[in-house]
């Protein structure tokens, strides 16, 4: 597994977190970055799944 980054964003109504993970492409073997914005409670589950 590659590097994981988590940043906390705060909007006027609710707290959100932007999670970035590196995913290796099965075809080329190159790494790509996948970004998602979610609530802080969902971050650990998102980073664990492949």
């Amino acid at each position: 597994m590659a590097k994981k980054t988590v940043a906390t964003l705060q909007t006027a109504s609710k707290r959100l977190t932007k999670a970035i993970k590196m995913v290796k492409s099965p075809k080329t073997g190159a790494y790509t970055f996948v970004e998602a914005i979610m609530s802080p409670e969902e971050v650990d589950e998102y980073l664990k799944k492949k």
Side-chain angles (χ1 to χ4, degrees), residues 29-46:
Y31 285 95
T32 59
F33 292 95
V34 179
E35 300 179 5
I37 297 177
M38 62 196 74
S39 67
E41 294 82 28
E42 299 171 350
V43 172
D44 287 332
E45 184 180 322
Y46 171 74

Side-chain angles (χ1 to χ4, degrees), residues 3-39:
K3 207 181 240 188
K4 302 172 203 166
T5 304
V6 178
T8 304
L9 308 172
Q10 191 165 2
T11 62
S13 60
K14 59 166 106 165
R15 249 181 104 194
L16 298 174
T17 301
K18 180 178 184 180
I20 304 169
K21 67 178 176 178
M22 284 176 57
V23 178
K24 189 172 185 178
S25 171
K27 279 186 172 181
T28 62
Y31 285 95
T32 59
F33 292 95
V34 179
E35 300 179 5
I37 297 177
M38 62 196 74
S39 67

